[in-house]
Amino acid sequence: MESRLSPGLVLRPARVSDAAAITRLMAAADAAEGGEAWVTETDIVEDLNDPDLNLETDTWVVEDGTAMVGYGELWNAREEAADAMEAQAWTAPTHVGRGIGSTLIELSEAAAVTAARRFDKRPVLLRNFIWAQNQPAREMLEARDYAVVRHFFHMGIDVAELPPPPAAPDGLELRSLDPATDPRPLFELIVQAFRNHWNWSPMTFENFWRRIAERDDFDPYLTPVVLDQGRLIGASINATKLGQGWVQDLAVHESARRRGTGELLLRHSFARFAEKGWTKVGLGLDSGNATGALRLYERVGMHITRRFDAFEKEIVA
């Protein structure tokens, strides 16, 4: 592929040691678009160590001298069972218009085509996610035949003065995550709860638990779980991000839904974050979630703070 990069810019694969620079780049891009940063260095280290991400073939760093001015990545290129491959790219505000965004999109598409040739299923889809207000990125994707197929939200709430959470109903037990006994049942719950969700990407148990337990902010107390006669039926996997609590995954077994379990987990999550001194809590949401998650989040007092759009195109291999 002929590079569209301006003279002086250098392209290379990412390394785990790039995590801090990638985090700063993303924060600068968010700020230029009028949004707050929401990705931490811990998140990036977690991603770059993921065995499903091939750093040599599916990540790209653009440098201007010693400064990182662009970063792109392609996910699910090794996993045919995923709904689609996913690409994302960021450009430093100081370097917009120097061919970085278009180059990263073209590189991700070329890598996706290479991956698609190994897949048996057809069609093969490639998705790209942008902040809804990013008009230049929108125009760039539309010019390459991507179309919007889904919307995602960030939601938030101030938890500093919320009332105490309710007790668990009779017959249910609410407690903190136990790293000694809960990892495998928690993994099975997540797979069951999310397996039919749009854009679901399978993960091994080992990678799932690594992404929870190896975070430097891992605190089992912040993750409440609900059991019914000893069986794990619900969990709110929580972490901390940039001065606020974050609900990573809220899962309730399909057999236990519409019993208030999700609301119970959220209210206890809010209370535990407040106990630890975090006054704001956020989460991400698929607007097309069929389980009624948006209504649940609004019922507990959360509000939409940001919207992302998912673009999609078919890859011809």
Side-chain angles (χ1 to χ4, degrees):
M1 185 194 79
E2 182 179 352
S3 175
R4 296 173 180 267
L5 293 175
S6 296
L9 301 183
V10 177
L11 188 69
R12 65 167 174 83
R15 302 182 287 261
V16 176
S17 58
D18 291 321
I22 293 172
T23 306
R24 290 192 296 270
L25 172 65
M26 291 180 179
D30 281 333
E33 296 171 6
E36 295 182 354
W38 63 282
V39 177
T40 69
E41 185 175 345
T42 296
D43 297 327
I44 302 303
V45 169
E46 187 178 288
D47 285 348
L48 295 178
N49 279 309
D50 195 308
D52 291 332
L53 180 66
N54 187 327
L55 297 184
E56 288 300 316
T57 61
D58 299 332
T59 67
W60 305 273
V61 165
V62 180
E63 293 178 317
D64 186 355
T66 60
M68 183 183 296
V69 296
Y71 174 67
E73 58 191 17
L74 176 70
W75 285 90
N76 300 336
R78 295 180 173 182
E79 183 53 77
E80 186 173 0
D83 285 351
M85 286 178 274
E86 300 176 19
Q88 286 185 279
W90 295 264
T91 300
T94 55
H95 284 64
V96 171
R98 297 184 62 180
I100 296 173
S102 56
T103 295
L104 293 174
I105 289 176
E106 290 178 7
L107 287 167
S108 67
E109 289 183 356
V113 169
T114 298
R117 290 175 180 147
R118 302 193 301 267
F119 293 169
D120 293 327
K121 71 176 182 182
R122 290 292 184 271
V124 179
L125 303 175
L126 176 61
R127 293 177 182 144
N128 206 304
F129 298 80
I130 66 168
W131 189 30
Q133 292 182 234
N134 190 338
Q135 190 61 29
R138 178 180 302 276
E139 293 172 357
M140 188 181 302
L141 290 169
E142 289 174 343
R144 298 187 68 84
D145 298 323
Y146 289 82
V148 175
V149 292
R150 205 85 164 189
H151 305 296
F152 290 80
F153 300 133
H154 279 179
M155 302 188 73
I157 186 173
D158 190 324
V159 300
E161 298 183 2
L162 293 179
D170 290 343
L172 298 183
E173 175 191 359
L174 187 144
R175 61 165 171 78
S176 301
L177 175 73
D178 184 343
T181 61
D182 290 339
R184 179 68 68 171
L186 180 64
F187 172 71
E188 293 170 354
L189 171 67
I190 292 293
V191 171
Q192 191 284 324
F194 288 99
R195 71 185 190 281
N196 294 323
H197 280 217
W198 189 85
N199 211 47
W200 166 247
S201 179
M203 186 180 294
T204 65
F205 165 72
E206 291 74 18
N207 198 21
F208 164 80
W209 185 240
R210 176 192 68 82
R211 294 178 73 95
I212 294 174
E214 293 184 8
R215 290 181 63 96
D216 58 13
D217 59 354
F218 176 54
D219 181 352
Y221 178 71
L222 289 178
T223 292
V225 300
V226 173
L227 296 90
D228 184 354
Q229 298 181 355
R231 182 174 69 102
L232 195 68
I233 62 165
S236 183
I237 302 175
N238 300 327
T240 54
K241 287 176 178 281
L242 302 171
Q244 68 174 325
W246 195 262
V247 178
Q248 302 272 63
D249 288 298
L250 178 69
V252 177
H253 195 280
E254 62 183 4
S255 66
R257 289 175 185 159
R258 296 177 178 81
R259 295 169 55 186
T261 305
E263 182 170 346
L264 179 71
L265 286 163
L266 277 176
R267 293 195 183 279
H268 278 267
S269 296
F270 297 161
R272 293 179 182 211
F273 278 124
E275 283 179 42
K276 294 286 188 175
W278 304 92
T279 60
K280 297 184 183 301
V281 176
L283 55 76
L285 169 70
D286 174 1
S287 67
N289 185 306
T291 65
L294 178 58
R295 294 191 299 276
L296 167 62
Y297 298 148
E298 290 178 333
R299 188 165 65 246
V300 299
M302 304 192 82
H303 61 279
I304 295 172
T305 58
R306 198 172 186 184
R307 193 189 93 191
F308 296 83
D309 291 341
F311 285 75
E312 181 180 280
K313 72 183 292 185
E314 184 175 330
I315 291 296
V316 180

